[in-house]
Amino acid sequence: AAGASTVTLLDYGAGNVRSVRNAIRCLGFDIKDVQKPEDILSADRLIFPGVGAFAAAMKVLNQNGMAEALRTYMEKDRPFLGICLGLQLLFDSSEENGPVKGLGLIPGVVGLFDSSNGVKVPHIGWNAVKITKDSQILDEIEGRHVYFVHSYRALPTEANREWISSTCNYGENFIASIRRGNVHAVQFHPEKSGDVGLSILRRFLGSSTPSMGKVIACLDVRTNDKGDLVVTKGDQYDVREQTPENEVRNLGKPVDLAGQYYKDGADEISFLNITGFRDFPLGDLPMLQVLRYTSENVFVPLTVGGGIRDFTDGNGRHYSSLEVASEYFRSGADKVSIGSDAVYAAEAYLKTRVKTGKSSLEQISQVYGNQAVVVSIDPRKVYVKNPGDVEFKVIKMSTPAHHNQVNGGRDGRPIGAYELAKAVEELGAGEILLNCIDCDGQGKGFDVDLVKLISDAVAIPVIASSGAGAVEHFSDVLVKTNASAALAAGIFHRSHSVCERAFAKRRHRSQNMMFECS
Ligand code: 1PR
């Protein structure tokens, strides 16, 4: 079967469907062409941009068994979008070169526009449609104009009333769109109807609007060799400059930068303390101060990670991870992000399948609620020859690989990213921050295969992280996967104008529809 980011296209070869193809690609989807009836039956979502004449189209569909497959597909209420003739073919019959029998799904006869009403035929032009019921894909277009080009039309009748989702007037009222369950069809051309049309296609494609996903600015923070807490950024997790001094890369002050990203429009801010107080979290007063100061002026959710685990200080006093988390919450954090400790908990859980309730993850989640607990996963690709060679979930990429967890970004652990994600979800994680060591700091885009694997596997929100290098990378990962948010670091540190563009998409998402496709 085609993947979740693939659209199956029924192009029976009667005309130009290039614009439909371009629109689908522009929205970030791949196209799989129907070659045989089975391709229809196995489609995740099917678009049928009918072009040409009714009789000729039905002849082709009947000859190669496609008509039967189409009927079965729609009877099973599978996602379908017919365009223009793709709507008309769903009716009982058409008068075009006929009468000719159609697919017979919707009662009614498709007939020629009545020019005695004083209208020119064919109907070519932009018209507003009147929504008559919840159409799912046409919401918000009432009163907006869409592009029509056709001589034949189906008329609303008592028999087909339940199918009609919108009508249009051109000398007479005709059916502009139908919907029943997941079966949609439109008489107009969404692929030629500007941003209104693209938003219709996007809704059908089930892609939550890319900019609906949150964009999160991440600040990796650590103490440098002089003892200052600075924002740094690694290259595949290596944060030291490639200079003889080999210093920790210093990109600025955490509170200032967080404030800046908030002003620019970031949906959330994450601080990851990547080494600073790993061995003595509550001793790191500067980090707690950073949270206190930041939360005075930043009014979006703040997440803090790094070093959340039980520990015993130099005087032998034991601190539970819950105390560490509580201190973070008191200082202004809304969520804590757990790395290594969640890996140990998941490993133990996978061995015994017993939830002890004692891990940091479980305890914090029980006290503060799972919405306050993020688990940070740091996978690194491991290439395998045969999927059977390893006990972990393997995905086929351009080159095959499975993703192994690297603990807190440091030591490799014998657990796959997929297995880890499933386990921490069961243990009470409310969100997964999915990094990718191979992509970190590379600016070549998110690891879409990895993000898809994990975001399809769990029911909790997944934050895609690592690799953003252009504004388009955000919409790319959000359209092609089930990720709820995209997080980045380097791209924001490098260019202020990028921040404005990336975050502005959130603020003006409808106006940015065309921009995203350019
Ligand atoms: O194990 O609970 O103490 O948590 C340690 C935390 O520190 C984990 O969340 C782990 O991801 C993080 N971490 C550890 N070492 C590093 C490092 O960089 N050397 N940084 C590190 C993680 C990775 C991302 C980064 C994205 C986006 N940072 O969060 O911000 O990859 O980067 P990009 O947009 O520039 O590509 P524990």
Side-chain angles (χ1 to χ4, degrees), residues 82-310:
I83 298 174
C84 196
L85 186 62
L87 171 137
Q88 298 182 3
L89 291 168
L90 305 184
F91 284 81
D92 285 331
S93 64
S94 170
E95 289 167 355
E96 187 178 6
N97 305 327
V100 183
K101 269 189 148 184
L103 291 168
L105 209 69
I106 308 177
V109 179
V110 179
L112 192 62
F113 267 114
D114 188 354
S115 55
S116 67
N117 288 330
V119 295
K120 301 273 185 212
V121 178
H123 167 215
I124 305 179
W126 293 75
N127 294 70
V129 300
K130 187 173 182 319
I131 310 264
T132 55
K133 76 165 182 190
D134 172 21
S135 62
Q136 198 182 44
I137 62 168
L138 304 184
D139 302 352
E140 294 169 23
I141 77 152
E142 174 99 35
R144 307 282 302 271
H145 288 66
V146 287
Y147 182 72
F148 289 88
V149 49
H150 58 137
S151 301
Y152 289 81
R153 86 288 180 253
L155 298 178
T157 64
E158 211 30 54
N160 58 31
R161 198 161 57 101
E162 63 167 80
W163 282 88
I164 302 169
S165 55
S166 72
T167 57
C168 179
N169 192 283
Y170 188 67
E172 59 192 331
N173 265 340
F174 69 92
I175 298 177
S177 67
I178 62 92
R179 177 204 172 188
R180 194 165 77 183
N182 292 313
V183 175
H184 303 266
V186 292
Q187 178 60 67
F188 55 88
H189 287 265
E191 79 282 10
K192 293 284 179 191
S193 298
D195 60 348
V196 175
L198 284 181
S199 82
I200 292 169
L201 284 172
R202 173 177 282 137
R203 277 169 195 268
F204 169 70
L205 294 174
S207 52
S208 48
T209 310
S211 39
M212 294 289 275
K214 291 172 289 181
V215 177
I216 302 175
C218 180
L219 294 95
D220 289 353
V221 179
R222 65 160 281 172
T223 312
N224 66 10
D225 302 330
K226 294 184 201 116
D228 303 323
L229 199 61
V230 297
V231 173
T232 189
K233 182 63 205 87
D235 205 350
Q236 298 186 326
Y237 284 31
D238 179 0
V239 298
R240 294 204 173 257
E241 300 277 14
Q242 303 300 311
T243 56
E245 294 75 30
N246 207 221
E247 287 175 331
V248 171
R249 208 165 279 133
N250 179 350
L251 298 169
K253 296 182 178 164
V255 180
D256 294 353
L257 271 180
Q260 189 59 56
Y261 295 148
Y262 166 65
K263 277 195 207 124
D264 288 339
D267 292 302
E268 292 189 27
I269 309 276
S270 288
F271 290 110
L272 291 179
N273 194 317
I274 65 174
T275 44
F277 51 93
R278 178 156 287 139
D279 300 321
F280 191 25
L282 296 185
D284 195 313
L285 290 174
M287 189 61 208
L288 297 176
Q289 289 290 23
V290 164
L291 283 172
R292 284 184 202 122
Y293 288 137
T294 304
S295 59
E296 279 172 16
N297 299 306
V298 169
F299 301 101
V300 288
L302 287 180
T303 302
V304 64
I308 295 173
R309 67 170 73 87
D310 295 351

Side-chain angles (χ1 to χ4, degrees), residues 218 220 233-234 237-239 272-274 278 305-309 337-341 376-378 407-410 433 435-436 439-443 465-468 487-491 494:
C218 180
D220 289 353
K233 182 63 205 87
Y237 284 31
D238 179 0
V239 298
L272 291 179
N273 194 317
I274 65 174
R278 178 156 287 139
I308 295 173
R309 67 170 73 87
S337 166
I338 311 176
S340 326
D341 214 52
S376 165
I377 297 188
D378 300 275
N407 226 11
R410 297 179 301 280
L433 165 55
N435 300 295
C436 173
C439 298
D440 174 61
Q442 304 304 295
S465 166
S466 307
L487 173 146
I491 186 175
R494 283 191 293 273

